[in-house]
């Protein structure tokens, strides 16, 4: 079975990386300890958010890993749709985003900015900017990825994969033994995130983060399409066996910085050119072991297809209410024939691709 490369949800990509730079003491019976931990973690997480990209890039960045060497699309024209409710005439504009960009991504073209300027606010997967500055939300997010049965990640993946993972993180100065109690899926997402951020001239402040900042500065609303539980499901839905496989595969690919950078550049080029269905194509090099096919299908159902339905329901809610939000979620949620746009079309809404 061949697989698709899906860029993680916003919170999974950014928060997973930041977490490994901060410690978290555990004392379930002590409120005082909880408060102390929150204060300590807030300082550490803030620092981690600032240094993560720089540190990861510094470890692997050289001329061969500069993503600009493999970017073929310089005039960015992301895919965008206009959705109209035939019953009311209400309209909603939707755009596919990418959660990490290059230094040359902005400014976006006029057809995108014109929509933003006319809207009352932006609707994003989750307000990542607010999440990263709100310690209570961060702790809630992290708490959903901790083993509560007394086991550690060592009990859930092979010894060989554990050592490989530990060595990989240690080499980047990002290993923290206090996170041994975090799930194998969390570690798999961490490895993927660090590998992406190790690419030269990558900016983890993606399209959604950019528009959140603009909306905040302009006094526009920022509304969450999803919640922390849904975002955390991107991590918690990965089975132990699939996590083991993903960790090993990602580290092996990262050992070839040029190849890994080219692979990610292809995804970026697809987004930047508006070739959204290319993100739905199966990767010829990703041949999943047969015994993991069911695990992978379950994972895709949670990370993509179920979320697509939930996103479409939110879009429908905005349309019915006449909310003038600029609706933006990861581009993979529009790819193929099960995307958010397809679901809305099946519901009877008029969905038109906006020409660049």
């Amino acid at each position: 079975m061949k697989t698709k490369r899906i860029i993680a949800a916003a919170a999974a990509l950014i928060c997973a990386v930041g977490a490994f730079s901060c410690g978290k003491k555990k004392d379930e019976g002590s409120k005082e300890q909880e408060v102390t931990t929150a204060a300590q973690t807030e300082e550490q997480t803030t620092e981690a958010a600032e240094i993560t990209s720089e540190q990861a890039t510094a470890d692997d960045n050289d001329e061969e890993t500069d993503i600009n060497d493999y970017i073929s699309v310089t005039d960015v024209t992301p895919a965008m749709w206009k959705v109209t409710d035939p019953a009311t005439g209400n309209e909603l504009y939707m755009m596919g985003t990418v959660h990490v960009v290059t230094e040359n991504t902005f400014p976006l073209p006029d057809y995108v900015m014109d929509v933003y300027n006319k809207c009352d606010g932006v609707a994003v997967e989750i307000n990542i900017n607010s999440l990263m500055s709100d310690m209570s939300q961060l702790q809630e997010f992290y708490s959903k990825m901790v083993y509560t049965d007394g086991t550690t990640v060592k009990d859930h993946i092979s010894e060989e994969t554990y050592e490989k993972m530990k060595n990989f993180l240690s080499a980047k100065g990002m290993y923290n033994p206090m996170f041994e109690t975090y799930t194998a899926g969390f570690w798999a997402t961490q490895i993927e995130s660090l590998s992406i951020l190790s690419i030269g001239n990558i900016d983890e402040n993606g399209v959604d983060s950019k528009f959140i900042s603009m909306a905040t500065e302009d006094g526009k609303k920022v509304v969450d399409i999803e919640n922390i539980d849904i975002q955390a499901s991107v991590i918690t839905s990965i089975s132990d066996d699939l996590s083991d496989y993903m960790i090993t595969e990602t580290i092996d690919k990262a050992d070839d910085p040029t190849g890994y950078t080219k692979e990610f550049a292809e995804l970026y080029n697809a987004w930047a050119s508006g070739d959204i269905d290319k993100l739905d194509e199966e990767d010829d090099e990703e041949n999943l072991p047969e015994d993991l096919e069911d695990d992978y299908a379950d994972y895709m159902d949670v990370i993509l297809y179920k979320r697509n339905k939930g996103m479409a329901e939110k879009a429908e809610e905005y349309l019915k209410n006449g909310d003038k939000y600029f609706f933006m979620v990861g581009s993979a949620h529009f790819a193929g024939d099960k995307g958010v746009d397809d679901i809305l079309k099946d519901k009877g809404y008029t969905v038109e691709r906006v020409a660049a």
Side-chain angles (χ1 to χ4, degrees), residues 62-356:
D62 55 37
E63 188 173 352
E64 287 187 329
T65 62
D66 187 336
I67 194 170
N68 291 321
D69 291 342
Y70 308 104
I71 295 295
S72 60
V73 180
T74 54
D75 294 325
V76 177
T77 55
M80 193 165 77
W81 295 261
K82 175 184 175 182
V83 185
T84 306
D85 182 352
T88 63
N90 291 340
E91 299 174 352
L92 181 75
Y93 284 87
M94 306 189 302
M95 183 176 72
T97 66
V98 62
H99 299 313
V100 288
V101 297
T102 76
E103 59 185 9
N104 300 318
T105 300
F106 301 103
L108 294 181
D110 288 345
Y111 75 92
V112 173
M113 297 311 300
D114 287 346
V115 169
Y116 167 76
N117 289 329
K118 293 175 183 177
C119 76
D120 295 329
V122 295
V124 294
E125 289 181 25
I126 196 165
N127 188 337
I128 190 66
N129 296 8
S130 174
L131 179 60
M132 288 300 290
S133 62
D134 186 333
M135 184 57 2
S136 63
Q137 284 192 74
L138 275 177
Q139 286 188 312
E140 181 182 353
F141 182 74
Y142 295 147
S143 69
K144 297 179 184 300
M145 290 165 281
V146 176
Y147 292 120
T148 58
D149 58 0
T151 61
T152 70
V153 68
K154 294 180 185 178
D155 301 309
H156 294 264
I157 60 176
S158 69
E159 182 177 354
E160 180 182 2
T161 298
Y162 171 79
E163 291 299 329
K164 194 170 191 174
M165 175 179 70
K166 182 178 177 181
N167 291 338
F168 178 84
L169 292 172
S170 296
K172 294 181 176 293
M174 297 296 284
Y175 171 72
N176 191 327
M178 299 182 76
F179 282 83
E180 294 282 338
T181 57
Y182 277 60
T183 66
F186 179 86
W187 289 75
T189 307
Q190 166 69 10
I191 296 294
E192 176 78 5
S193 300
L194 281 176
S195 298
I196 291 173
L197 295 179
S198 294
I199 298 172
N201 286 316
I202 279 287
D203 184 352
E204 76 274 18
N205 294 312
V207 174
D208 42 359
S209 179
K210 178 72 171 180
F211 275 94
I212 291 169
S213 295
M214 285 194 298
T216 301
E217 292 174 2
D218 295 339
K220 295 176 182 281
K221 294 180 181 179
V222 178
V223 296
D224 292 341
I225 296 168
E226 298 185 323
N227 56 37
I228 290 177
D229 286 340
I230 296 173
Q231 288 278 310
S233 71
V234 173
I235 296 173
T236 58
S237 63
I238 312 175
S239 71
D240 289 346
D241 290 340
L242 184 58
S243 295
D244 192 304
Y245 174 80
M246 290 170 66
I247 291 168
T248 298
E249 284 294 293
T250 302
I251 293 175
D252 287 346
K253 286 189 174 185
D255 283 341
D256 175 16
T258 299
Y260 192 81
T261 302
K262 286 181 178 179
E263 182 179 313
F264 190 80
E266 289 178 5
L267 295 177
Y268 178 86
N269 286 329
W271 169 79
S273 65
D275 188 5
I276 210 74
D277 286 329
K278 187 174 181 62
L279 299 176
D280 191 55
E281 294 178 0
E282 295 176 340
D283 191 335
D284 290 336
E285 297 181 1
E286 291 282 349
N287 288 308
L288 194 73
E290 186 175 347
D291 61 347
L292 290 178
E293 289 183 0
D294 288 344
D295 289 29
Y296 178 74
D298 290 342
Y299 172 58
M300 289 298 293
D301 190 46
V302 172
I303 187 179
L304 202 58
Y305 304 126
K306 286 182 179 179
R307 291 175 66 209
N308 288 355
K309 292 178 181 178
M311 291 172 177
E313 289 173 0
K314 273 293 185 180
E316 186 173 28
E317 176 186 319
Y318 300 149
L319 279 164
K320 289 182 176 178
N321 292 340
D323 295 324
K324 295 183 179 180
Y325 296 142
F326 193 1
F327 186 103
M328 52 186 71
V329 297
S331 291
H333 294 289
F334 295 105
D337 58 4
K338 297 180 182 179
V340 176
D341 54 320
D342 301 294
I343 296 172
L344 289 171
K345 187 175 182 179
D346 290 342
K347 286 175 173 284
Y349 296 97
T350 302
V351 182
E352 306 167 276
R353 179 75 178 262
V354 178

Side-chain angles (χ1 to χ4, degrees), residues 18-30:
F20 267 71
S21 290
C22 61
K24 182 178 180 182
K25 297 180 181 178
K26 297 186 183 304
D27 185 350
E28 299 297 335
S30 171

